[in-house]
Amino acid sequence: MIEVLAEKPSRAIRIFSSHHEQERETIRFWNSKSMEEKLQGTLDAIELAYALKGIDVHSKGSNRSVVRVQPVRG
């Protein structure tokens, strides 16, 4: 693996010699993160996927309504 530091010290560009090596590094990266960081990463990926489709996830409300039905006793 070749690592090149970018302008920000917290970021790096890594060049891998194989796909298998890249997969191992990805798993190692996510295993080092807390549950909150993993969830935030998932949320960021979902928002990016919707943004690429032109959908703003923050402007849409739910298309469904929630109704609570009380059973009739007697």
Side-chain angles (χ1 to χ4, degrees), residues 57-71:
V57 294
H58 298 291
S59 67
K60 284 194 155 197
S62 175
N63 291 339
R64 299 178 183 195
S65 59
V66 178
V67 178
R68 183 176 177 198
V69 179
Q70 291 283 60

Side-chain angles (χ1 to χ4, degrees), residues 9-25:
S10 65
R11 307 231 176 181
I13 297 172
R14 294 181 175 93
I15 301 171
F16 297 96
S17 58
S18 70
H19 180 71
H20 184 68
E21 184 182 359
Q22 179 186 3
E23 286 290 319
R24 282 195 322 250
E25 178 63 25

